[in-house]
């Protein structure tokens, strides 16, 4: 099973792909954004999107508090800018189990979660290689370039595979335009 990284409603604040650099108190961000930035609206607990094993929890000036999960299906999941961890290296996690709390650590412009998906479970090969995939595509979103500022409901599960992903919660009824266009959400 697959799930979104929050149990409740969340907003997409920055898309996967190339973008302008952003200045933060910890330095300048990369122009290549290998993930998607999301902001929990009420429940800020971040959850495992698939069952797997926590490979590590770390902290750095750029990434803040971050963790890496190797999923049982062969993906690597990056959770970045966390306020705190709810798991440790070696822990087995189930889909939708809380792994951390959304934060504002590292090169960040405000509280959010940077969520990344890689096509392998090895951190070094993923982070320094070209194995990143657009999390919105992995979620089964038909038009991933159109989701910035939209609200999603993470209460259901995502079913299927990369070739034909369906979701109990990524249809028009659960994806709505954010109610406030002036709200500033964090990005990396």
């Amino acid at each position: 099973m697959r799930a979104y990284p929050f149990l409740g409603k969340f907003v997409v604040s920055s898309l996967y792909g190339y973008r302008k650099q952003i200045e933060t108190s910890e330095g300048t961000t990369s122009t290549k954004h290998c993930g998607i930035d999301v902001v929990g609206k009420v429940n800020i607990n971040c959850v495992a999107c698939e069952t797997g094993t926590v490979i590590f929890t770390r902290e750095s000036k750029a990434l803040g508090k971050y963790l890496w999960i190797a999923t049982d299906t062969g993906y690597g999941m990056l959770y970045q800018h966390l306020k705190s961890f709810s798991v440790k290296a070696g822990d087995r996690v189930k889909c939708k189990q809380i792994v951390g709390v959304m934060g504002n650590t590292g090169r960040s412009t405000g509280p959010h979660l940077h969520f990344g998906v890689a096509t392998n479970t090895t951190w070094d090969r993923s982070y320094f290689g070209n194995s990143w995939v657009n999390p919105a595509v992995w979620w089964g979103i038909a038009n991933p370039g159109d989701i910035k500022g939209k609200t999603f409901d993470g209460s259901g599960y995502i079913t299927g595979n990369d070739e034909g992903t369906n979701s109990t919660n990524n249809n028009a009824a659960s994806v709505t335009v954010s109610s406030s266009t002036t709200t500033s959400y964090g990005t990396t």
Side-chain angles (χ1 to χ4, degrees), residues 39-186:
V39 179
K41 295 191 94 170
V42 175
N43 185 343
I44 59 171
N45 290 320
C46 302
V47 298
C49 292
E50 281 193 357
T51 298
T53 302
V54 178
I55 301 302
F56 62 75
T57 60
R58 295 181 181 163
E59 187 169 4
S60 77
K61 186 174 181 178
L63 306 182
K65 290 183 179 179
Y66 65 106
L67 63 85
W68 182 257
I69 297 173
T71 72
D72 293 351
T73 59
Y75 288 95
M77 305 280 167
L78 174 63
Y79 295 75
Q80 195 174 304
H81 306 298
L82 298 172
K83 177 180 181 179
S84 61
F85 303 114
S86 301
V87 294
K88 63 184 181 316
D91 283 355
R92 287 286 299 161
V93 293
K94 294 181 181 178
C95 186
K96 290 199 167 201
Q97 178 180 331
I98 296 171
V99 297
V101 177
M102 181 180 79
N104 188 24
T105 60
R107 290 186 187 148
S108 171
T109 62
H112 73 288
L113 169 68
H114 171 94
F115 177 69
V117 177
T119 56
N120 66 70
T121 60
T122 306
W123 169 251
D124 287 343
R125 280 190 15 218
S126 297
Y127 190 70
F128 300 107
N130 292 315
S131 63
W132 295 107
V133 296
N134 187 335
V137 172
W138 184 83
W139 290 336
I141 305 298
N143 297 305
D146 296 336
I147 64 171
K148 185 175 179 180
K150 294 195 177 177
T151 299
F152 288 79
D153 181 3
S155 62
Y157 285 94
I158 302 167
T159 59
N161 58 39
D162 297 334
E163 302 302 319
T165 303
N166 298 306
S167 175
T168 58
N169 58 357
N170 70 357
N171 58 35
S174 64
V175 181
T176 58
V177 176
S178 177
S179 60
S180 173
T181 57
T182 59
T183 303
S184 176
Y185 297 106

